[in-house]
Amino acid sequence: MTINAIVSAKTENKEKIKKMLGLTGKKRALGFICSSIEITPEFLEWLSFCDADFVVFQDLSDHNAPKNIRHVFEKDLQKIISGFDFFICNGDKNIQELLKEGIVPVVYKKNCLGSLLKEFNPIRGEGNCYLYDADNKWSIYASVVKYLENYKFPYDNKNLVKNTAQI
């Protein structure tokens, strides 16, 4: 699949996801958080300040989720999963299918695909992910912010998606 076909499918499926979940942010990144990431009220509050929408694949009934965060079961989005721009994961699950869809990982540096994943360098146009150093919410949040800064630059983001899909 060409990069243009991947980007086109991502855009179409992203709109379907946002409409289905009632997320109204236009031109905002759309990411999901894997069920293995610990969700705390503080973490949700930090994410509420990000210029992005998030889908959490775990129950949030114990939390007062901000308006840019939704809960859904992963199987409900399986057919349109390519609509996500990025995902947050600690690397414990098989993420290769997500990479083929051009979904950028924000992943713990000690993950199962360590030899294939390299931190994105926008100046060189190299790399295919954003890595966080410590398995904690502070480090994850810092890497999400770095990704969102890159997302603002369409040319750099397209290079990142292309690099990710080529793994």
Side-chain angles (χ1 to χ4, degrees):
M1 191 183 272
T2 68
I3 186 62
N4 290 334
I6 290 171
V7 170
S8 178
K10 290 178 80 53
T11 301
E12 183 179 319
N13 287 335
K14 183 179 191 174
E15 291 306 313
K16 288 178 184 177
I17 292 169
K18 286 190 170 207
K19 184 177 180 180
M20 183 172 91
L21 298 176
L23 295 166
T24 59
K26 300 288 184 199
K27 297 188 179 185
R28 291 169 58 120
L30 178 62
F32 73 84
I33 303 171
C34 296
S35 58
S36 59
I37 300 295
E38 181 185 5
I39 301 295
T40 63
E42 296 84 19
F43 191 55
L44 290 175
E45 182 180 1
W46 301 342
L47 295 177
S48 74
F49 292 102
C50 291
D51 191 24
D53 293 312
F54 297 90
V55 174
V56 179
F57 292 149
Q58 51 188 287
D59 188 11
L60 291 178
S61 60
D62 294 341
H63 303 292
N64 186 14
K67 65 180 181 178
N68 67 327
I69 300 173
R70 298 289 189 275
H71 154 70
V72 70
F73 294 105
E74 191 169 359
K75 62 181 170 54
D76 295 338
L77 296 176
Q78 204 60 40
K79 291 182 181 172
I80 54 176
I81 197 86
S82 70
F84 287 100
D85 296 304
F86 69 102
F87 67 97
I88 303 168
C89 182
N90 62 12
D92 68 335
K93 64 185 269 181
N94 186 355
I95 61 177
Q96 289 177 306
E97 289 303 314
L98 300 172
L99 301 174
K100 289 178 186 176
E101 297 286 345
I103 307 171
V104 176
V106 175
V107 66
Y108 185 42
K109 72 177 182 178
K110 295 179 183 176
N111 64 71
C112 62
L113 294 176
S115 63
L116 296 174
L117 298 177
K118 182 180 175 192
E119 180 97 20
F120 184 66
N121 180 334
I123 295 171
R124 293 186 178 150
E126 298 172 347
N128 48 28
C129 71
Y130 281 91
L131 300 170
Y132 53 92
D133 295 328
D135 194 9
N136 65 53
K137 58 190 170 198
W138 293 100
S139 190
I140 293 170
Y141 185 72
S143 291
V144 168
V145 169
K146 285 194 302 188
Y147 168 77
L148 293 175
E149 282 300 310
N150 178 75
Y151 183 81
K152 293 178 183 178
F153 299 95
Y155 179 78
D156 289 342
N157 191 59
K158 190 172 182 179
N159 277 335
L160 176 56
V161 170
K162 180 182 76 164
N163 295 351
T164 301
Q166 290 177 344
I167 293 180

